[in-house]
Amino acid sequence: MPLNLDDIIAIDIHTHAEEPCDTCRDDGYNEFQTGMANYFKNPAGAEGMLPTIQDTAAYYRERKIAAVIFPVDAERETGFRRYHNEEVAEIAAANDDILIPFASIDPHKGKMGVREARRLVRDFGIKGFKFHPTFQGFYPNDRMAYDLYEAIQDEGAIALFHTGQTGVGSGMRGGMGMRLKYSNPMYLDDVAVDFPDLKIILAHPSFPWQEEALSVATHKPNVYIDLSGWSPKYFPKILVQYANTMLRKKMLFGSDWPAITPDRWLADFEKAEFRDEVRPLILKENAMRLLNL
């Protein structure tokens, strides 16, 4: 049964498919997830504690919240096998009353990645692509990624980029080799200029570059911000100010499931200083427009 927008109360633009159904965990994966769990103060690092996509669908269906779900392709940097995009899309299609599929392709995969992106949109109904510059080890404005961006733009899909500090590698020796510099949102300004018809989402409050993110989203009409990865009670005051005013139609609800649950996010959102007329925009209406639902 297709998504019924009248029945849902919100659209979570940022949820992760963390636990592959077709592979065992790779060496080092438990340690990586334990570090993430310590960072976010949740139990997801323990074996068996990460939800499958089917688990995620059931959780969100019970709450009448639609969810954009995606894997992250960081095979080259981490050695962890990626969750196949096709598998994510197929499980999402079987739960299309609640799940909206995004994919992930490391731009280092070059022409192979470009072909995959076009095929995923055309044959599997993928609506967007998740990039994590720190996890994937690249500057977003590296021309190496431009053919992939062009394909995503041509196919009318969305590009969602992690920005700011990350829980990936947090507390691990050498940060697990993760370099925070890649996720400064100002690099996305170049992408927004060079691909003016590409819909871009800057994911998360972009600590320590919050003002850079607000600047790019204010200046470039094709750039949005999702509010995932942080509880709203910790949002910088300037982020709430822009969400209430200039960027009220460009802010998107996201939880960062399973790192942060929508239950926790929404409970803290109710107490945060967002204007009443802005809340429905953030929770649902802005995402409906962006996703062409």
Side-chain angles (χ1 to χ4, degrees), residues 3 5 8 10-14 66 68 100 102 158 199 201 224-226 248-254 280-293:
L3 181 64
L5 294 170
I8 64 167
I11 299 172
D12 188 336
I13 204 81
H14 197 117
V68 169
I100 301 165
F102 275 32
I158 296 167
K199 293 177 284 188
I201 301 174
Y224 296 74
I225 292 175
D226 90 31
R248 64 189 180 279
K249 293 188 177 180
K250 301 182 81 176
M251 293 286 182
L252 305 160
F253 159 48
L281 297 175
I282 293 173
L283 290 177
K284 182 177 173 182
E285 294 173 21
N286 291 342
M288 286 174 55
R289 186 174 64 255
L290 180 61
L291 293 163
N292 292 321
L293 298 178

Side-chain angles (χ1 to χ4, degrees), residues 24 121 125 128 158 161 180 203 249:
C24 61
V121 175
I158 296 167
F161 291 84
L180 299 179
K249 293 188 177 180

Side-chain angles (χ1 to χ4, degrees), residues 53-266:
I53 299 177
Q54 198 65 50
D55 294 335
T56 299
Y59 178 97
Y60 277 82
R61 187 177 292 116
E62 181 180 345
R63 287 156 178 78
K64 296 184 177 180
I65 301 173
V68 169
I69 192 163
F70 45 75
V72 180
D73 175 7
E75 291 179 322
R76 189 187 67 93
E77 283 290 298
T78 66
F80 302 150
R81 287 167 290 180
R82 69 174 179 173
Y83 202 145
H84 297 306
N85 289 312
E86 294 85 351
E87 185 178 2
V88 174
E90 287 167 354
I91 301 173
N95 294 275
D96 64 355
D97 62 312
I98 211 71
L99 297 183
I100 301 165
F102 275 32
S104 182
I105 299 171
D106 185 338
H108 290 94
K109 291 183 174 172
K111 291 181 179 179
M112 182 181 296
V114 171
R115 289 196 300 269
E116 181 182 2
R118 294 188 185 277
R119 179 174 57 82
L120 287 169
V121 175
R122 296 175 185 180
D123 297 345
F124 288 87
I126 290 294
K127 301 295 185 184
F129 293 82
K130 165 65 184 283
F131 296 94
H132 196 310
T134 292
F135 208 22
Q136 294 169 324
F138 78 106
Y139 288 106
N141 61 351
D142 189 327
R143 288 336 191 240
M144 167 272 297
Y146 270 33
D147 287 346
L148 182 54
Y149 299 158
E150 183 176 15
I152 295 170
Q153 177 179 257
D154 289 349
E155 299 297 333
I158 296 167
L160 186 154
F161 291 84
H162 170 93
T163 65
Q165 187 175 320
T166 179
V168 175
S170 179
M172 299 180 70
R173 185 171 181 270
M176 208 178 90
M178 301 292 109
R179 302 179 190 275
L180 299 179
K181 63 182 181 180
Y182 293 130
S183 291
N184 186 325
M186 189 54 70
Y187 297 121
L188 273 306
D189 188 63
D190 286 341
V191 180
V193 170
D194 295 334
F195 298 92
D197 298 317
L198 176 64
K199 293 177 284 188
I200 297 168
I201 301 174
L202 309 180
H204 315 308
S206 303
F207 176 82
W209 303 294
Q210 185 62 78
E211 293 185 12
E212 282 91 331
L214 294 171
S215 175
V216 175
T218 301
H219 193 261
K220 301 299 186 294
N222 54 326
V223 176
Y224 296 74
I225 292 175
D226 90 31
L227 300 172
S228 67
W230 290 40
S231 161
K233 70 181 179 181
Y234 297 122
F235 286 174
K237 184 176 181 180
I238 192 170
L239 177 59
V240 176
Q241 176 186 340
Y242 270 74
N244 278 329
T245 55
M246 296 177 69
L247 295 179
R248 64 189 180 279
K249 293 188 177 180
K250 301 182 81 176
M251 293 286 182
L252 305 160
F253 159 48
S255 65
D256 214 6
W257 165 273
I260 295 178
T261 67
D263 287 353
R264 176 188 175 191
W265 195 99
L266 291 169

